[in-house]
């Protein structure tokens, strides 16, 4: 792991390492996988490599995490039981969220009778995308919510620090806890809606970009032979802008190095830019 500030040559050292691997080892450009955060980063890396290596630079596997996972899916459509991958459009996503909200039961804390009944749609969308980016499941979040609420009375900020207004020092600030409880009830209701949303997406044969990564994670976790194929193919892993990787992307790296005694993984980044 190389940690350095902007303009210090982090991308340059990745390119130099790739060139050095090809110079000092018997591995081919096809055995190298370099992952970047954006398409712009991928293009910049390709240009830098080309200036160093010439035509061989086009044989090095340069990808964003999404394009890499899309390639894995396209190369193994039978494994993923798909003939094609259809990314949901922005308009379809809005329609789907409205349909989801229309289906809320009257006792759902997110259900609204008046005003803009779809006012929570953007927050729901952001939550669902975050869950996918970080590879969070509904049960994982709800478990965290339960532990968080149970711990509130033990936290210093939820207890009175001095005696006043009929409360003794050390008494629980019940009103403050009740406010947090309502927030967490809304979060739990939104998390419950995530599973329904995913079923609706499946019925429409649609996915988000984030699903490309989740599909590959699931396939690698459940299909040992598939994972071994890609571990064998990519002997060297390099990652640019590592500070921007999320939980799901990092899981891809963990799986590609799983049970490898001495994985050749090299990442560069700057925590201050995270």
């Amino acid at each position: 792991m190389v940690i350095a500030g902007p303009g210090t040559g982090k991308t340059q050292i990745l390119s130099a390492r790739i060139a050095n691997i090809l110079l000092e080892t018997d591995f081919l450009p096809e055995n190298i996988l370099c992952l970047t955060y954006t398409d712009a980063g991928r293009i910049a890396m390709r240009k830098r490599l080309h200036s160093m290596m010439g035509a061989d630079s086009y044989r090095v596997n340069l990808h964003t995490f999404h394009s890499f996972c899309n390639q894995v899916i396209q190369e193994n459509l039978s494994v993923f039981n798909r003939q094609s991958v259809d990314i949901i459009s922005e308009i379809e996503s809005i329609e789907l969220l409205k349909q989801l909200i229309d289906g809320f039961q009257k006792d759902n804390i997110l259900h609204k009778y008046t005003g803009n009944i779809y006012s929570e749609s953007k927050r729901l969308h952001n939550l669902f995308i975050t869950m996918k980016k970080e590879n969070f499941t509904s049960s994982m979040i709800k478990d965290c919510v339960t532990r968080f609420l149970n711990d509130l009375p033990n936290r210093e900020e939820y207890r009175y620090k001095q005696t006043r207004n009929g409360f003794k020092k050390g008494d629980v600030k019940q009103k403050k806890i009740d406010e947090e409880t309502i927030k967490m009830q809304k979060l739990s209701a939104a998390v419950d809606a995530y599973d329904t949303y995913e079923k609706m997406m499946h019925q429409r044969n649609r996915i988000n970009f984030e699903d490309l990564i989740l599909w590959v994670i699931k396939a690698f976790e459940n299909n040992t032979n598939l994972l071994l194929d890609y571990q064998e193919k990519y002997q060297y892993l390099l990652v640019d802008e590592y500070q921007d990787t999320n939980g799901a992307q990092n899981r891809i790296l963990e799986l590609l190095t799983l049970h490898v005694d001495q994985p050749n993984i090299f990442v560069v980044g700057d925590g201050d830019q995270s």
Side-chain angles (χ1 to χ4, degrees):
M1 178 182 287
V2 176
I3 303 173
T8 51
K10 294 190 296 297
T11 303
Q12 174 74 11
I13 202 171
L14 280 184
S15 304
R17 177 168 170 77
I18 292 171
N20 192 61
I21 289 168
L22 298 176
L23 184 67
E24 299 292 338
T25 75
D26 294 329
F27 288 105
L28 301 173
E30 293 89 334
N31 297 130
I32 299 172
L33 174 62
C34 183
L35 295 166
T36 66
Y37 192 66
T38 64
D39 279 323
R42 180 179 58 81
I43 292 169
M45 175 69 75
R46 183 73 75 188
K47 288 181 178 177
R48 197 177 293 268
L49 273 179
H50 186 265
S51 68
M52 285 184 167
M53 302 165 46
D56 274 350
S57 64
Y58 290 98
R59 295 165 57 201
V60 175
N61 292 280
L62 282 180
H63 285 285
T64 64
F65 280 91
H66 289 94
S67 70
F68 167 67
C69 289
N70 186 51
Q71 177 174 298
V72 173
I73 292 169
Q74 296 299 335
E75 289 174 346
N76 302 275
L77 286 174
S78 60
V79 172
F80 292 90
N81 197 26
R82 292 273 180 149
Q83 294 303 312
S84 64
V85 176
D86 300 312
I87 305 294
I88 192 168
S89 68
E90 187 174 349
I91 292 176
E92 283 181 302
S93 180
I94 293 171
E95 290 175 348
L96 204 62
L97 285 165
K98 286 184 176 181
Q99 185 180 335
L100 176 70
I101 292 170
D102 287 339
F104 286 163
Q105 299 296 315
K106 292 182 179 179
D107 60 350
N108 190 318
I109 195 171
L110 299 177
H111 177 78
K112 293 187 177 181
Y113 292 93
T114 58
N116 181 8
I117 63 173
Y118 303 117
S119 60
E120 297 286 358
S121 60
K122 186 173 182 179
R123 294 174 67 190
L124 286 169
H125 173 76
N126 291 339
L127 171 67
F128 297 164
I129 295 300
T130 298
M131 289 175 68
K132 292 185 178 188
K133 284 182 176 180
E134 299 302 335
N135 196 23
F136 292 158
T137 63
S138 302
S139 59
M140 186 189 304
I141 295 181
K142 294 183 80 170
D143 180 58
C144 289
V145 165
T146 299
R147 286 188 281 114
F148 171 71
L149 290 176
N150 289 340
D151 187 53
L152 288 184
N154 302 320
R155 299 190 177 198
E156 187 177 331
E157 63 268 32
Y158 290 91
R159 288 186 174 273
Y160 289 99
K161 294 179 175 60
Q162 54 187 319
T163 300
R164 63 179 178 182
N165 298 331
F167 294 100
K168 297 178 182 179
K169 181 180 178 180
D171 282 351
V172 172
K173 296 179 180 179
Q174 191 58 50
K175 183 179 179 182
K176 194 173 179 181
I177 288 180
D178 290 342
E179 290 172 353
E180 288 294 333
T181 300
I182 291 173
K183 289 180 184 178
M184 292 300 102
Q185 287 173 345
K186 288 184 176 180
L187 176 58
S188 294
V191 168
D192 284 335
Y194 173 78
D195 294 327
T196 303
Y197 177 80
E198 284 299 283
K199 290 178 183 176
M200 294 165 68
M201 288 272 287
H202 182 73
Q203 289 170 355
R204 290 193 177 202
N205 195 32
R206 295 291 185 270
I207 63 170
N208 300 109
F209 276 112
E210 288 71 23
D211 287 313
L212 296 174
I213 297 178
L214 294 183
W215 279 16
V216 173
I217 288 174
K218 186 175 181 180
F220 280 170
E221 289 176 340
N222 297 327
N223 191 323
T224 303
N225 289 332
L226 180 69
L227 177 59
L228 287 174
D229 285 344
Y230 283 92
Q231 287 180 331
E232 184 69 19
K233 180 177 180 180
Y234 300 121
Q235 295 292 320
Y236 287 88
L237 303 177
L238 302 97
V239 186
D240 198 9
E241 304 292 353
Y242 184 65
Q243 76 278 351
D244 289 327
T245 54
N246 56 46
Q249 292 166 341
N250 210 51
R251 181 60 179 156
I252 290 290
L253 298 176
E254 290 174 351
L255 288 165
L256 287 173
T257 58
L258 188 66
H259 304 313
V260 179
D261 290 337
Q262 292 182 315
N264 294 306
I265 182 164
F266 188 93
V267 304
V268 299
D270 177 14
D272 291 337
Q273 296 183 64
S274 177

